[in-house]
Amino acid sequence: IDKNGNTTGTTISGIKTKGTAVKSVAAGQIADIFIREKIEINSAVNKIIDRELYEKALTEYSYTNRKKIPVDCKLRIEVDNYPNIEIADYEGNVVSCTVKERVQLAQKVATTKEKLISQLNKTGDVPFYFKSIDVEIEDNCNVPARVINELRREAVHELSIKRANLNNRSNLSQINTSILDKYADDCYIKHHSLEVVASVRSLECAKGAIHAGADVVYIMYNWGFSNSTLRDIIELCKANERKCYILLPTITKDSELELIEKELREAIIGWDNLGFVISNIGQLNFAFKYTPNNIRLNYSFNIFNSISMSALNNYYADLSQCNINCICLSPELNTAQIKTLAQKTNIRLEGLIYGHIPVMTTDYCSLSLLGNCKGCNKHNKTYGLIDEKGKVFPILQEGFCRSKILNSDVLFLIEDINNVISAGISSLRADFYYENEMEAYNIVKLIKSKNTNKTKEQQNIIHEIKGRGFTKGHYFRGVD
């Protein structure tokens, strides 16, 4: 990591001590290390993988070598009674189980103690092994192997449940949902006018979206974003009398937020009617400092049910002069769930209609493997991960060497907008990551037209987008 925070990933190709090639060196030894990439003097060096440690982990945590938990077992077999098994671990957890099948007298060959112990020891892939087995069995008993297997499975299952509840989690107090819902039930449900939101990363996309009639523009900010671009988009919104918000990254450490504030301060001070879309709770104080009455919540808050909605209503209502005026709901909600939520709040609800939904955010610069980390958030090339089906998952650099991996298929609900609106969504949002000006224009035009008759050109655009691969997300199926 250099003095500017840029990282370079590389592989050690060789090690020498006193001119002799070696495979490893001990702590404190001085060695020459050979690498492929050029690194600045005084850069911090972090070891991110150790071959010996990696191989040790593979060995110890592999299925065949996984460590099992020792337990003691007692088995009681008596004629005309139900067989009973008791197993106990070394942390005080004991379970006792029976099966509803009485032990019969043997007609020919009696079951031996050795056979029962052998059958019990067939634990397979369960996380326990029998350190000791105590068997008491009457003479001339016959116990089928399936009965012993059933006893063992039931006892292991019960012990697993008991061990999972070591801290008496069942005794935790439950959320008082009636209190949380009271605020929502008493709410005056406000009906909001419909608006189209365009979330953009470039001036060109902003131009296309505004020209097509977008009512609100979100500027997707990342560290190192050009202040001139930021001010140009703000100026464009101001000239066209459109609302403008800065959408903050999903993940921001405290130290990073300080740098972001320092970078943004110059660009945002003096601009009226500017708001923030915050992506995590740690960004609230920052947004409150500049736009206390113009804050929106991103879908990364994962507002999924009436409890979280009511809790937010109560929490933000207690903040002096703080006005959360729009919440983007979790993309995992279906329309029925959205409708229920819409009846619980008077806050404007936003739904994602178009865009590649992030599937992962990783605190690692994937481009460092290609030697392109320096200024990676400013590169003009598009990179991605390819899965076994040939689908490409675009990689978006967010600054601070953090990568966001986007879904290969675009969320596309243009043909289902009326259903989304009837569910209670009044802000229809499109996220533009890599689209150009014309593509942004066409998408916003399609959203504005809703389900009216499409022109031949619009039908061709819809056909082209769907042909590249699309998804309707969870809007019409929910989460499995």
Side-chain angles (χ1 to χ4, degrees), residues 281-293:
I281 194 70
Q283 297 168 354
L284 179 61
N285 287 337
F286 167 67
F288 180 76
K289 185 188 303 183
Y290 293 99
T291 60
N293 295 309

Side-chain angles (χ1 to χ4, degrees), residues 428-447:
L428 306 172
R429 172 172 157 185
D431 283 356
F432 299 114
Y433 287 103
Y434 297 109
E435 288 80 359
N436 58 35
E437 181 176 346
M438 183 53 67
E439 288 170 329
Y441 174 86
N442 289 333
I443 294 298
V444 172
K445 271 292 186 185
L446 285 171
I447 296 174

Side-chain angles (χ1 to χ4, degrees), residues 278-284 296-304 308 312 316 327-328 330:
I278 62 175
S279 297
N280 63 62
I281 194 70
Q283 297 168 354
L284 179 61
R296 296 187 173 199
L297 304 187
N298 197 15
Y299 58 74
S300 51
F301 272 78
N302 203 32
I303 305 303
F304 200 84
S308 55
L312 274 170
Y316 290 116
I327 294 175
C328 189
S330 168

Side-chain angles (χ1 to χ4, degrees), residues 249-407:
T250 307
I251 298 174
T252 48
K253 300 177 183 177
D254 289 343
S255 57
E256 295 169 354
L257 199 56
E258 291 175 5
L259 293 172
I260 290 173
E261 181 175 6
K262 184 177 179 181
E263 186 176 75
L264 279 176
R265 191 181 295 120
E266 180 184 345
I268 64 178
I269 287 180
W271 294 95
D272 298 326
N273 200 27
L274 184 65
F276 278 96
V277 182
I278 62 175
S279 297
N280 63 62
I281 194 70
Q283 297 168 354
L284 179 61
N285 287 337
F286 167 67
F288 180 76
K289 185 188 303 183
Y290 293 99
T291 60
N293 295 309
N294 209 6
I295 299 173
R296 296 187 173 199
L297 304 187
N298 197 15
Y299 58 74
S300 51
F301 272 78
N302 203 32
I303 305 303
F304 200 84
N305 52 42
S306 60
I307 303 302
S308 55
M309 177 68 74
S310 299
L312 274 170
N313 276 332
N314 285 313
Y315 177 73
Y316 290 116
D318 291 337
L319 294 177
S320 174
Q321 298 179 330
C322 185
N323 181 20
I324 305 297
N325 53 45
C326 183
I327 294 175
C328 189
L329 297 177
S330 168
E332 295 184 338
L333 288 170
N334 61 37
T335 51
Q337 293 166 326
I338 291 172
K339 184 173 290 188
T340 300
L341 277 178
Q343 295 168 354
K344 298 281 187 179
T345 183
N346 60 359
I347 297 178
R348 176 187 287 275
L349 299 182
E350 180 178 280
L352 196 59
I353 301 299
Y354 172 89
H356 290 272
I357 298 177
V359 295
M360 178 188 295
T361 300
T362 171
D363 205 6
Y364 170 69
C365 181
S366 49
L367 297 188
S368 63
L369 295 173
L370 305 176
N372 295 337
C373 177
K374 191 172 183 179
C376 57
N377 56 317
K378 298 178 182 178
H379 71 81
N380 295 318
K381 294 182 179 180
T382 301
Y383 295 90
L385 301 177
I386 301 178
D387 69 5
E388 68 278 2
K389 296 180 180 178
K391 292 277 192 179
V392 178
F393 293 73
I395 298 174
L396 175 71
Q397 301 305 127
E398 285 198 322
F400 299 108
C401 289
R402 189 170 291 122
S403 303
K404 179 176 285 185
I405 301 171
L406 307 177
N407 196 353

Side-chain angles (χ1 to χ4, degrees), residues 101-319:
E101 184 172 335
R102 296 182 187 276
V103 177
Q104 303 294 321
L105 275 172
Q107 298 298 319
K108 294 182 179 180
V109 180
T111 302
T112 65
K113 182 183 294 187
E114 291 73 23
K115 185 176 181 180
L116 291 174
I117 292 174
S118 174
Q119 195 66 33
L120 284 171
N121 275 322
K122 295 179 180 180
T123 53
D125 62 348
V126 300
F128 307 105
Y129 76 93
F130 295 123
K131 187 175 181 180
S132 69
I133 300 178
D134 177 19
V135 176
E136 291 184 6
I137 181 170
E138 284 188 347
D139 295 336
N140 296 321
C141 286
N142 177 263
V143 186
R146 58 178 172 77
V147 172
I148 301 302
N149 291 340
E150 185 180 349
L151 274 171
R152 185 187 61 242
R153 282 195 298 267
E154 183 64 24
V156 166
H157 175 68
E158 291 296 325
L159 184 61
S160 297
I161 293 174
K162 198 162 191 176
R163 285 176 58 85
N165 200 31
L166 289 175
N167 297 316
N168 297 318
R169 294 182 179 91
S170 60
N171 294 329
L172 291 175
S173 58
Q174 299 297 310
I175 296 174
N176 190 339
T177 58
S178 61
I179 293 176
L180 290 175
D181 279 330
K182 184 179 184 303
Y183 177 87
D185 291 339
D186 293 341
C187 258
Y188 165 71
I189 306 302
K190 182 177 179 181
H191 297 282
H192 300 276
S193 58
L194 202 63
E195 67 176 20
V196 176
V197 178
S199 185
V200 304
R201 297 178 67 237
S202 68
L203 178 61
E204 289 68 29
C205 266
K207 287 179 179 176
I210 289 175
H211 183 50
D215 305 289
V216 183
V217 172
Y218 293 169
I219 306 172
M220 286 190 271
Y221 172 85
N222 62 278
W223 172 246
F225 197 91
S226 168
N227 272 351
S228 60
T229 301
L230 191 67
R231 294 181 72 88
D232 286 344
I233 297 176
I234 295 172
E235 183 64 48
L236 180 68
C237 292
K238 185 177 180 181
N240 288 274
E241 298 181 342
R242 307 300 163 89
K243 296 177 183 177
C244 184
Y245 290 78
I246 295 175
L247 172 57
L248 295 174
T250 307
I251 298 174
T252 48
K253 300 177 183 177
D254 289 343
S255 57
E256 295 169 354
L257 199 56
E258 291 175 5
L259 293 172
I260 290 173
E261 181 175 6
K262 184 177 179 181
E263 186 176 75
L264 279 176
R265 191 181 295 120
E266 180 184 345
I268 64 178
I269 287 180
W271 294 95
D272 298 326
N273 200 27
L274 184 65
F276 278 96
V277 182
I278 62 175
S279 297
N280 63 62
I281 194 70
Q283 297 168 354
L284 179 61
N285 287 337
F286 167 67
F288 180 76
K289 185 188 303 183
Y290 293 99
T291 60
N293 295 309
N294 209 6
I295 299 173
R296 296 187 173 199
L297 304 187
N298 197 15
Y299 58 74
S300 51
F301 272 78
N302 203 32
I303 305 303
F304 200 84
N305 52 42
S306 60
I307 303 302
S308 55
M309 177 68 74
S310 299
L312 274 170
N313 276 332
N314 285 313
Y315 177 73
Y316 290 116
D318 291 337
L319 294 177

Side-chain angles (χ1 to χ4, degrees), residues 34 40 86:
F34 298 89
E40 294 181 8
E86 179 182 289

